[in-house]
Amino acid sequence: FGQAIAAVPSIWTDLTGVSSSQRLGDLLATRPDLHDAIVLGEPDFLMEALPYYAKNPIYLPREGHYLLKVNFTSASRRVLSLTDLMTAADGLRQTTGRKVLIAMGHRLAPEGPFTIAAGFRREFTYTPASLREFLARGKKVAVLDGAEHDENYALYLWP
């Protein structure tokens, strides 16, 4: 009985909390320019709930394929760099002709840290130069924050 009472705050948060995935789904549905964009997310587990809210294809750069489910296995790249992410976005844009929307869940700053834990013993890395390129090329379209958990990210439309 005590465990059930202790779980009430977590259950309440889940029922009433803000979902950035739902907000992203709403954004994709209401913006005609993003309606058929490919969503590329980092860290990839932030994209797990998005299919419930949007029909857009979701690409997982750590796994090198579209989302069926996120795999936390050795099949997933342990280290992903911002340069790798930009290369994946460029490749998707060139091969599909579709817009690419990057959902960046990491807080990137010119002063670092330049290696960020990305969950499940994985890392995301960047350099001041790759950050400058990313910010120069990507157009920030929204920041979805305020989620109760780690489901917060900034959205960049890739050229």
Side-chain angles (χ1 to χ4, degrees):
F1 180 72
Q3 289 179 331
I5 291 173
V8 169
S10 294
I11 293 169
W12 182 252
T13 295
D14 285 346
L15 293 174
T16 62
V18 175
S19 167
S20 291
S21 290
Q22 183 176 5
R23 291 170 54 212
L24 176 53
D26 293 344
L27 180 76
L28 293 168
T30 58
R31 290 218 12 204
D33 61 323
L34 300 177
H35 183 68
D36 68 343
I38 298 169
V39 180
L40 190 152
E42 173 56 33
D44 51 8
F45 61 82
L46 293 179
M47 299 294 103
E48 283 184 301
L50 186 57
Y52 294 102
Y53 303 107
K55 295 179 181 175
N56 296 60
I58 302 163
Y59 188 81
L60 304 175
R62 286 184 185 270
E63 297 182 26
H65 60 77
Y66 289 92
L67 175 70
L68 299 173
K69 66 182 178 82
V70 177
N71 295 308
F72 301 111
T73 70
S74 59
S76 177
R77 292 173 66 176
R78 195 182 79 69
V79 178
L80 184 76
S81 72
L82 185 56
T83 300
D84 296 333
L85 190 75
M86 291 186 288
T87 299
D90 288 338
L92 289 169
R93 185 82 168 116
Q94 291 170 357
T95 59
T96 67
R98 296 172 82 166
K99 292 181 180 180
V100 175
L101 186 67
I102 297 175
M104 177 56 71
H106 302 298
R107 303 259 187 246
L108 306 180
E111 65 278 356
F114 300 110
T115 299
I116 301 169
F120 308 97
R121 290 181 271 169
R122 299 179 310 164
E123 296 176 340
F124 183 77
T125 64
Y126 68 102
T127 64
S130 65
L131 179 58
R132 281 191 301 275
E133 179 183 356
F134 179 75
L135 296 175
R137 294 182 64 199
K139 176 186 174 195
K140 188 184 274 189
V141 294
V143 174
L144 303 179
D145 57 8
E148 295 295 326
H149 303 290
D150 56 1
E151 189 186 77
N152 295 299
Y153 34 82
L155 302 172
Y156 296 87
L157 187 58
W158 201 244

